[in-house]
Structures are given as C-alpha cells and as structure tokens.
Amino acid sequence: MTPAFTDADLARRRAASRRLGWLLGAVVLVIYLIGLFIKR
Amino acid sequence: MASCTLETQTAPSAEVNPVAWLLRSLFPPSALLLPGAASAAYNFNFPEPVTPIARETLHIHNEFMLIITVLFVVVFAIMIYSMIKHRKSSGHAPAKFTGPTGALQWFWALIPFAILLFIDFVLMGIPAVQAIINMEDTQTKADMVLKVTGMQWKWQYEYPESGVKFISTLATPRDQIANAEAKGENYLLEVDKPVVLPVGKKVRILLTSTDVIHTWWVPQFGVKRDAIPGFLRETWVLIEKPGIYRGQCAELCGKDHGFMPVVVHAVPEPEYLAWVEAQKAEAKAAAGGADRTWSKDELVAEGKAVYEKVCAACHQPDGKGLPPAFPALAGSKIVSGPLLDMNGKVIKDSHVDRVLHGKAGTAMQAFATSLSDVELAAVITYERNSFGNQAGDMIQPAQIKSLR
Amino acid sequence: MSTATTHTAEHPAGEYHGGLLRWLTTTNHKDIGTMYLTFSLIMFFVGGLMILAVRAELFSPGLQLMQPEFFNQLIGVHALVMIFAALMPAATGFANWMLPLMIGAPDMALPRLNNWGFWLLPPAAILLTLPFTLALFGIGDGALATGWTFYAPLSVQGGMGVDFAILAVHILGISSIMGSINIIVTIFNMRAPGMTMMKLPLFAWGWLITAFLLIATLPVLAGAVTMLLTDRHFGTHFFDAAGGGDPILFQHLFWFFGHPEVYILLLPVWGLMPHVLSTFSRKPTYGYKAQVYSFIAIGLLSVVVWAHHFFTAGMPVPALVYFMFSTMAISLPLAVLFFCWIATMWKGAMTFETPMLFAVGFIVLFGIAGLTGLILADVAADAQYHHSYFVVAHFHYALFAGGIMGVMTGVYYWLPKWTGHMYSEKLGKLHFWLTVVSFNLTFLPQFFLGLAGMPRRIPDYALQFAEFNAISTLGAFVLGFSQLLFAWNIWSCVRGGPKVESRVWEGAEGLEWELPSPPPHHTWEIQPVIK
Ligand code: HEM
Ligand SMILES: [Cu+2]
Ligand SMILES: [Cu+2]
C-alpha cells in the first residue's frame, strides 16, 4: 500500500492547479472584456 | 362596420368537448370553476390554416410529428423489450460487450446514425428550406402594404397607400377580467377596431415598435414576427378565405402583454375598398373638428373616451396610477401646473409636453404621433379636470395643431 | 493562497471547528458538496412555490390571485432560481462530492476557492428575491419582471428589480466560474497515478465539458448584463436604436450564453447516466469513447447554434438556414448517447431500484424533449411554436425531466454512499411514480395549448385554453407536493436507516465504491489501484 500522493507531489500538483486556475481566470476576464466592446 | 356580417366563420361548434368532459368527470369541482363558455371545440393541432404559409407549416408540422412519433415508438419499443427480457429476475445473465465488435455489429450501430442523418438533412431539411424561402419572400408580387406598430399595449395599423391609420386595443371589459361579470365568447381576443384586409391579395406587412419588442402573431396565418423599436421587420400574408382571425402579442412586453390581441377581418376586395373610403371620410370629418372651437364639456366627454382607451392601462381608470412605475395623475404637480407659457408655446416637462412628447426611458410614449389633434386636446383637458384635479382650463384642438 | 496546499496537514482527520463556523470555513470537498446539495434542494422548493402560485392563477380564465406585474415577476424569478440556484448547484454538489472519490484524489485541487464559490450563492439568491420583500414594505416595485431572458429594451425600462437581478447574476456567475476552474484543474492535476484521461469516469468527462462551456459563455452573459446596467444608469446606448444601438444585439449575446447553458445543465446528468445504467444492468458501459466524443461534439456545436432562439426576430435567409441545420446537427451526437444508454441496458441483468427507475424515466422523457427540439429547429414550424406554450412544454421536458430527474437519479444512487444508510426504497418508488405521472399531467397538455395558439408568459387567457390549463395546474400541484416525499426520504436517510456496505449496489463499478460508506472525512490517503 503506497500513499497516494507524497507531500511533495501534492504540493507540486496544487501549484500546477493554481497556475492553470489563474490562467483560466484570465481567459474569463478577456472574454468578458471583449463581450463589453462588441458592436454588431 | 361593413365586415360585421362575417361572424359565422368562427362561431364555436356545439359539439361536446372530450377534454372538458374528461376533466369534469375526473375532477368534479372543476365544473364549478370552469366557465360555461369553455366548451368551444378543442384543438389538438394548429387551428385551420387560411394562408399558403400556414398550410405549408401545418403540413410540415404534421409530417415532422409523424417522423418523431415513429422514432419515439421504435426506439422505446426496443428499450422496453430489453427491460422485459433482460431482467435479473428472469434469470438473464449479463453480457460483457462494451462496443460493437465485428462488421455486422458496426453495421447495426451505424444504421440508426445514417437514418437520422437522412431524416435531418433530407426528409426534414429539404421541405424546411423550401418553407423558409417562401416565408421570407415578402416582396414578389405584393399587392399592398400594411404597417403594424406595437406599443405598450396596443397595435397601431397604417395603410400607407390610402393614409388610413388607427389604433386597435383590447375591447374586453375590465369587469370580465376581474371575474365580476360573465366572460364573453371572445374573451381577451376582441378589439375595439379590427384591422381589415382584402382576401386573395398578397399583403406585405412591415413591423416596428415605439417602445419595447412586441410580436405580431395570428396562428391561422402561420405568421409570427417581432416588432422591434428602431428597426423595420417584414412578413407577408395572403388570406384565402373571408373571416375574423384572432391572435395575440407573443413577446413579453410588460404589464399588459397578455392583453394586446390582434384581430383581423378578412373581407372580399369590394368590401375592403368601401371600408377604406369610409375610413378616409371619417378621418376627414375628424380633422375638420380640429378647426372649430370645442366647448369644455365636449372636450371632457371625448377626453374620457380617449383616456380609457389609451391611458388607463397604466395610469388606471381612477387616475391613481401604479407607482412607482406608473405615476398618479390625480393630484399630480405636472398635471396641475401651467398649461402653456405666455407666448402659447409648450413648457418643457409640462403636462402638454409629456403627453405630446413622452418621457424617454419610461413607458410614457410620445402620443403626438399616434393621436389626432382632437384626441390630444380632449384627453389633456379631461386629465386637468378629473380625478379631483381642478386646473379649470382647457386646450383647443386648433392649439395642438399649431404646436405640432 | 499558500495555506491551501497545507490543508491536509492543518486538519488531521476528525478535527473540526464546531457548529456553524465549521460550515462557514470548511474546505473539505464533502462538506462543500453537502452544502451545495442542501442549498439546491431548498431553492428547488422556493422556485417551485413561486411557480405553483403562477399555476394557481392560470387554473381558470380571469385574474384571481395576482396582478399581471406580479405574475411577470414570478415567472422570471422562478426560472432564474431553478436554473442558477437549484439545478446548477446540484450538479456542482455532485462534482464536489464525487469527483475526488471517483478519480482517486484526496480533495479538490483548490479547496479555499471551493469554499468561496459556495458562499457566494446564498447572498446571490437573497439579492434575487429581496425585491419581493422590499416591495412589501413599499420600496421599489418588486423583482425582475422581464422573464429570465432580460430582453432589452423591456429590461432598460424595468424597475430596480432588474438591477438586483443583474447583480445577482454577476455573483452567481462568479461562483460558477470558480467552481468550473476548480473542477478543470482537479481533473487535470489530481487524478491518481494510472487514471489516464481515457479511463476517466464519464461523469468526470461530462463535467469537464460543462466547466469549459461555463468558462467560455458565462463571461458573455456577464458582459451583456453589464451593458444593460450601463444602458439603464450611465447613459450608454448599446441596446437602444435611438442612440445607435440594437436591441437584437442583446438577444445574440444572451443566447450565446443561453443555449450552451442548456447543455451546461444537462452534461453532468448525461455523464452520470452510464454509471447508473451499467450498475443496474450489471454490465459495462457501452461505447465509452463514443460518449466522450459525443460530449465534446455537443459542447462545440452548442456555441454555434444560438440564434435558433429568435428566428422570429427576422434574419437573412442564409442565417436562418445555417442556424436551422446546425441545430439539427446536434441531434446526431445526442442520438449516439441514446444509443449507448440503451445498448448498455441491452442483454444486461436488470433490476429496477429507485435510481434505475429515474434513469429510465429520464431517458424516455428526455427523449420527448430531444425530439420536439428537433422540430423546433425548423424555422417555418418554429414560427408557430415560438413563444407559445409548446416551447414551455419542450424545455420542461428538457430541464425538469432531463435535468431535475437526472439529479434525482444521482441523489438516490449516491445517497447511501454519502450517508452510509439505505433510503426507503418504497418511498423512493412512490416518489418516482408520482413524479412521472404528475409531470406528464402538467406538461403534456402544454404542448396542445401551444399548438392551439396560447402564448407563454400571459397571466390570463382566452376561454378555448381553459381545460388544458386546469389539467396542467392540477398536475403541477401533485408534482410539487410529491417532492415533499423526496425531501422526507433524504432527511430520514441522513438521520438513520439500514447500514450499507462500501459497494452499495451489486453491480457498481468504480473507485468510489471501494471506499467505506460513508467515506471518512479524508479519503485516498492510500493510493488506489486503477483497473
Ligand atoms: C414543479 C415544477 C415546475 C413547474 C410546475 C413549472 C412551471 C412553469 C410554467 C407554467 C412556466 C411558464 C410561465 C409562463 O410562461 O407564463 C415556467 C417557466 C419556466 N420554467 Fe418552470 N416549472 C417547473 C420547474 C422548472 C425547472 C426545474 C426549471 C429549470 C431548471 C424550470 C425552468 C423554467 C424556465 C427557464 C421558464 C421560462 C421563464 C420565462 O418565461 O422567462 N422550471 N415554469
Ligand atoms: Cu407582448
Ligand atoms: Cu437552445
């Protein structure tokens, strides 16, 4: 029985998640701003 | 009006209505709650089509309904067969497959897909495209134009060729809506002044709105098109059969969205032409009225009629309004303010200004475009001298004419 | 942010803050899942009560109970509550509870974000409904009265209820975005070793596509309602023709979000179905890959069909044809899903416990939604259906039978896992049959009302519509009150009941069934073996 994630592994995964999280957040903001300036 | 002889077309049949019967027998108390008149023969499908578009639409609808019913029955027959046969309790041992194996199974897995592809883009797709092309062809061989303007909560109709123009509003008495009076046969589907169109003519219909989006819909025409403020949209009808056709506004447009019906009288052409002439004569007589001097009593009497038709939906019959959206006129500062300035010109934000030019961003529209000089003078005079308001003054149709 | 990483170290198993504070500050995915689900159930009843008032008004012609203004407020807030506060949080609750268990992760990747995501919901729900209460005290003229679609210029003209709703939608949107980000990063980064993307449970795949759709479309909705706000108060003219704007632009923006929203509500349920069907058929899922590709295809198609929601607004012929055919194209991947569901049942060894009953009910009734959707795509026929009760019936087959009954499937399926107790099978079955029968009693007549010409969103109607409306109201009341059985069954199951084993259902497969029922506060501290 191996522990699922070592502490170091878990920390690495969480850091990667945070980076991707901020990136997705930025994408949301960009879409929102583009949406605001849309004119048909 | 000439066209009132056509009532027979839409008279309800006296047949027993199976739905009402079922409901009453399953749930006896409903008999007490349902109005007696609710025994008009019930429809399980579109009402009888009277234009080429409506006929085509009904045809497409029936065909598509058949297709999807077949799909539904076949697919769920297979599922129900499986649910009966492949039960644990009937000792069925579970298979293990997780996808098609072998050419034969792939074939059976892809067949439904191919059938659906065919149904979507050929069986349903081709007639659908044809119908779109017909529906959007508003201009080829159009015989006349009708302009429809939606306003909260009434329709204005205009015949550009003959200059006839009028407003059509709900005629059902408020007491019927409030259940204080028995409901009439055409409850909520009746107007004070129906729009009249000739049969057998292609009518190009232009739509717009003065305030919010409304949708002009007459089910028997197969036509539903939005009336959008600031834009012009179009559609067309060619009515094949004389009759009275009823519809409603179909886009939520505020408080009285449920109370702005459309009623069309379709009549043979000679009758239509006679009607147009009568309208012109009437308009001329009304315009003549603008040149003479009216007494205050005359104005108040005429004004009351206009008020109840045009203004009461928002400001209420008693002038108390529905604050904050619809302000009260009773005791209003604006209404009791001065009528005009020293030079007989409109004062900004005064009573006359409001009625003629409306207030931007609210439901209060500019009535200068939709009411006549007499109507405007009458309704202003009425408001200043009713609901406890005692301005005491009046304004003449001739004055309105010069203020335009 | 750094504290989140040390979460497990901070709170060894079993150590809690006490009472309310525990729930306010919890970062545990199971606690948060429970909160989402509880909130969803409460709001389901709130939205249901609103619409029962509406149905009561529509029982017979004439105005009996309310004025049209209030009626208009009830229908719009009913829809917003059902969509944003009942159905979406239920799906997020499922994701929180089950994703980590299913993919072998100790928790969601960003636990603190998870907590914020949830706690934005209650204030938003309060904002949405507050104008009703304020109006009782003479402040303002009630809630949003434009329907849930906010169409300009009606919404520009509306009272302060519109502003409250705009604010609430922003907050609900931020909450959903936070939830989506968390789900995406959890699925990407927190899978146990050996859990490749193509071994991911279908529920996770369904949610992954949902989360991407939310991220792509919610900002557009937020943008649209922000523009509405500036039109209302800051003198812009985005949607005002007199100032060079265009009211139809609002409809484009709204439905660019609004159509994918339908799939946002349904994809988690489609992800869940194969698990339930395979469990009770005792047979592996049929066509795993086909289902994954269908989810992706539906996700992509859903953002290119939006204008089918306003064919009657007038468009050039090529646009009409394009939006018609692209909409019809969605029926193809959807048909693949139906095929796989039925093929999963085919030659299994089926039993019909409550979750399976709901799953089968879902397939049949959602089938009706899909098939009527196909004909709604036809532009000419849509000119008759659009804005009529036909559409109301159609989307309730999609959202109630497809959405809510799908959620009920999941609740009955996983409730024993969550609580460690078995719910009452007898009550569950009664709940199912009452729901299915009264649902059809409520909404089947509405198809006929629409065909006969009854517009939607009207507080009063012509006499020819009386009978079907009366039937529909009777159905709605039975439907509404049957849901009390559901709440009662959940409540008693949480309180106690026969103990269940880890693998609650005989045929259940997947990591979540290898954990004890209920799972301990912290799970997967030991690496699971992926088959
Ligand atoms: C007890 C169950 C429900 C009943 C009896 C019910 C009934 C109704 C009725 C009668 C309307 C039409 C009002 C009108 O157009 O005049 C309506 C509107 C609506 N409902 Fe429901 N509903 C139920 C559950 C749901 C659920 C679960 C959802 C979604 C998750 C939902 C979403 C909607 C939407 C989007 C509208 C359109 C509102 C609008 O016109 O803006 N409903 N509902
Ligand atoms: Cu309307
Ligand atoms: Cu859609």
Side-chain angles (χ1 to χ4, degrees), chain B residues 2 12 17 19 34 57 72 106 110 120 133 178 186 197-198 226 239-240 252-253 292 304 307 321 323 325 391 401:
Chain B
N17 171 357
V19 180
L34 292 175
T57 306
F72 185 80
W106 271 105
L110 290 176
D120 277 5
I133 292 169
N186 292 313
L197 291 175
D226 293 3
I239 309 168
E240 292 166 330
L252 179 58
C253 53
R292 72 177 172 89
K304 186 167 188 317
Y307 182 85
K401 197 171 176 183

Side-chain angles (χ1 to χ4, degrees), chain C residues 51 75 78-79 82 87 147-148 389 395-396 404 443 456-457:
Chain C
I51 214 64
I75 56 171
H78 154 74
M82 284 298 191
L87 206 42
W148 81 289
Y389 255 85
F395 68 68
H396 282 89
I404 296 286
F443 292 106
R456 67 193 272 210
R457 296 169 165 173

Side-chain angles (χ1 to χ4, degrees), chain B residues 31-283:
Chain B
L32 301 172
L33 293 152
L34 292 175
S39 55
Y42 215 94
N43 271 324
F44 284 89
N45 204 337
F46 291 154
E48 185 202 351
V50 295
T51 66
I53 290 292
R55 249 187 301 114
E56 189 174 5
T57 306
L58 175 65
H59 180 75
I60 287 181
H61 166 77
N62 286 339
E63 200 174 288
F64 288 4
M65 275 304 190
L66 191 70
I67 295 173
I68 65 172
T69 310
V70 170
L71 286 176
F72 185 80
V73 170
V74 171
V75 169
F76 291 109
I78 296 173
M79 188 177 93
I80 287 169
Y81 170 85
S82 169
M83 285 165 60
I84 293 169
K85 285 295 265 211
H86 309 146
R87 299 170 81 96
K88 192 185 176 198
S89 57
S90 65
H92 195 274
K96 289 269 166 271
F97 61 90
T98 57
T101 46
L104 191 67
Q105 280 197 23
W106 271 105
F107 176 77
W108 282 115
L110 290 176
I111 277 289
F113 202 73
I115 294 179
L116 191 60
L117 207 64
F118 175 75
I119 291 176
D120 277 5
F121 294 105
V122 181
L123 205 58
M124 291 175 72
I126 291 175
V129 171
Q130 197 54 51
I132 294 178
I133 292 169
N134 292 342
M135 202 168 87
E136 295 302 314
D137 180 18
T138 53
Q139 295 181 24
T140 317
K141 294 209 229 114
D143 296 306
M144 62 175 282
V145 173
L146 172 71
K147 187 174 175 205
V148 178
T149 308
M151 315 173 168
Q152 283 171 322
W153 294 276
K154 50 199 169 273
W155 297 101
Q156 185 187 67
Y157 297 103
E158 187 179 349
Y159 299 72
E161 284 106 341
S162 54
V164 172
K165 179 169 157 180
F166 59 90
I167 285 181
S168 172
T169 48
L170 179 73
T172 302
R174 284 183 179 261
D175 277 351
Q176 290 191 12
I177 298 171
N179 306 307
E181 192 183 287
K183 298 186 180 12
E185 181 191 315
N186 292 313
Y187 177 70
L188 296 189
L189 296 179
E190 51 201 345
V191 295
D192 57 346
K193 198 160 174 177
V195 57
V196 178
L197 291 175
V199 294
K201 295 278 167 199
K202 178 161 178 176
V203 184
R204 182 176 169 206
I205 301 179
L206 303 178
L207 300 115
T208 188
S209 160
T210 57
D211 37 50
V212 302
I213 302 173
H214 304 269
T215 300
W216 198 79
W217 181 27
V218 180
Q220 285 180 276
F221 295 171
V223 158
K224 184 187 279 148
R225 182 89 353 150
D226 293 3
I228 302 164
F231 291 82
L232 212 53
R233 289 291 190 261
E234 50 183 296
T235 183
W236 66 277
V237 298
L238 192 160
I239 309 168
E240 292 166 330
K241 189 173 148 188
I244 301 175
Y245 303 109
R246 300 172 197 277
Q248 280 175 273
C249 176
E251 175 69 68
L252 179 58
C253 53
K255 177 170 89 64
D256 281 353
H257 159 59
F259 305 92
M260 55 182 290
V262 175
V263 180
V264 180
H265 280 204
V267 299
E269 194 176 13
E271 222 173 294
Y272 166 74
L273 292 173
W275 176 81
V276 170
E277 286 315 312
Q279 294 307 301
K280 280 190 189 155
E282 214 174 273

Side-chain angles (χ1 to χ4, degrees), chain C residues 130-173:
Chain C
L130 191 63
F132 282 127
T133 323
L134 290 180
L136 289 182
F137 294 100
I139 307 171
D141 45 8
L144 166 92
T146 65
W148 81 289
T149 47
F150 289 93
Y151 276 8
L154 186 62
S155 51
V156 177
Q157 192 186 76
M160 77 178 189
V162 180
D163 300 317
F164 274 77
I166 290 175
L167 197 58
V169 163
H170 275 106
I171 299 176
L172 291 163

Side-chain angles (χ1 to χ4, degrees), chain C residues 255 258-260 262-263 305-306 308-309:
Chain C
W255 289 111
H259 192 78
V262 178
Y263 300 102
V305 299
W306 70 91
H308 67 211
H309 287 273

